[in-house]
Amino acid sequence: MILTVTLNTALDITYRVRALRPHTSHRVSEVTERPGGKGLNVARVLATLGHEVTVTGFTGGATGRVVQDQLTTTPGLVDALVPISGPTRRTIAVVDEQTGDTTQLNEPGPVITPAEWSAFQEAYEDLLPSASAVALCGSLPPGVPVGAYAGLIRDARAAGVPVLLDTSGEPLRRGVAARPDIIKPNTDELAELTGSHEPFRATQDARRRGAHAVVASLGPEGLLAVTPEGRWRATPPTPVHGNPTGAGDSAVAGLLSGLVERLPWPDRLARAIALSAATVLAPTAGEFDRRAYEELVGRVAVTGEVSAA
């Protein structure tokens, strides 16, 4: 089973409007809701790919109950979320149908008490022995220690479970020092971590800081991976336009499933790119278009070199 951790879960709500204009009223043509937060997005894609997935993190209030009710409809996904007293946050994505652009509004997460954080740590440690890999994803809600991911990485390493970290800022800086197997920052997060705006140099620096492998997201230009086995650049076969919500999380699912399946790095990167592009093309934010994925995955260009033994 693959374990995904989402400490700041959410209910993702998507509104579609004909044209988004400031300072005016809008008639919403369509509303969709689904469980959100980066780790839940990753888990849903992994389950669709056929992997058994357990999700953990926090859930609370009426919004949290909606999230958990919807999780039960995903085959292959097990809910191990930890209850809290505060309400799960909501995120609002407003899609402009004329331009395809998306405006995102993210509520703050609930305050986590020391007792709730301790309860989560116990649940996480209980789940690790059954996990083939762990994904630690997203922001930290108020009350969770800034070094939380570093501690969770050390727990996973002690249990012999590979771990992927996808976060930003100080949690990323501290997490990298705990030596995760993979990190997946975007260029801004990588520059903040290393001080370098040159992607290859920054990626190398992130490895020196402790990450075993670094996969940098270059946005529409694809992925750059620097690993002990070699370095590669993966690019999509054609530009895609649509809603990018969840595209990075789909890339994480591609990398994590490739890790568990022991795929070569070029195949992992091709899967990550194809899933990301297929998510942009999907009509619902955070889902992926299966037909587009199957058509794209064989056309992703991956170039690079294998390190000398």
Side-chain angles (χ1 to χ4, degrees):
M1 147 303 258
I2 298 174
L3 177 64
T4 73
V5 174
T6 313
L7 297 178
N8 215 358
T9 54
L11 179 66
D12 287 348
I13 303 169
T14 302
Y15 294 145
R16 300 185 69 88
V17 299
R18 184 171 183 180
L20 181 61
R21 305 186 187 283
H23 317 301
T24 63
S25 297
H26 296 79
R27 187 174 298 279
V28 177
S29 61
E30 182 183 352
V31 182
T32 58
E33 293 183 346
R34 62 172 182 76
K38 294 179 74 64
L40 294 188
N41 296 340
V42 171
R44 188 167 44 250
V45 174
L46 288 169
T48 303
L49 291 173
H51 289 274
E52 294 184 0
V53 190
T54 296
V55 298
T56 191
F58 296 112
T59 181
T63 305
R65 288 193 291 274
V66 173
V67 167
Q68 290 186 285
D69 287 345
Q70 293 196 12
L71 287 176
T72 62
T73 65
T74 304
L77 192 150
V78 175
D79 173 7
L81 294 169
V82 175
I84 56 172
S85 59
T88 295
R89 68 190 177 118
R90 296 166 297 178
T91 69
I92 310 296
V94 184
V95 180
D96 185 318
E97 293 178 335
Q98 286 190 353
T99 65
D101 293 336
T102 301
T103 299
Q104 192 80 20
L105 304 173
N106 296 330
E107 294 182 356
V111 176
I112 306 301
T113 68
E116 290 166 344
W117 175 237
S118 294
F120 167 78
Q121 289 177 294
E122 291 180 9
Y124 176 75
E125 291 173 3
D126 288 343
L127 290 166
L128 278 177
S130 301
S132 56
V134 175
L136 306 174
C137 303
S139 60
L140 301 179
V144 173
V146 70
Y149 282 140
L152 299 180
I153 291 167
R154 286 191 288 268
D155 291 341
R157 288 178 58 84
V161 180
V163 57
L164 183 153
L165 176 64
D166 184 16
T167 188
S168 60
E170 187 65 12
L172 174 60
R173 189 183 71 81
R174 297 198 186 194
V176 166
R179 304 187 65 79
D181 293 87
I182 305 172
I183 63 169
K184 195 210 71 65
N186 61 34
T187 51
D188 290 339
E189 293 162 350
L190 197 57
E192 183 181 7
L193 173 66
T194 66
S196 174
H197 291 272
E198 199 288 307
F200 181 66
R201 183 179 305 150
T203 303
Q204 288 181 308
D205 185 33
R207 278 206 69 215
R208 286 192 291 268
R209 290 168 184 257
H212 190 67
V214 181
V215 181
S217 173
L218 308 179
E221 298 179 8
L223 297 172
L224 172 65
V226 178
T227 80
E229 292 82 13
R231 61 186 188 188
W232 292 272
R233 175 77 178 270
T235 55
T238 184
V240 294
H241 304 282
N243 186 348
T245 303
D249 303 328
S250 292
V252 168
L255 295 172
L256 202 61
S257 61
L259 169 68
V260 170
E261 295 171 29
R262 301 183 182 276
L263 296 181
W265 269 104
D267 292 346
R268 300 186 204 183
L269 297 171
R271 179 180 290 181
I273 289 283
L275 284 170
S276 180
T279 299
V280 174
L281 294 170
T284 302
E287 307 293 339
F288 77 92
D289 185 315
R290 187 64 182 253
R291 181 177 297 178
Y293 162 69
E294 292 172 350
E295 192 273 332
L296 287 167
V297 69
R299 298 172 51 217
V300 175
V302 183
T303 58
E305 58 187 25
V306 176
S307 296

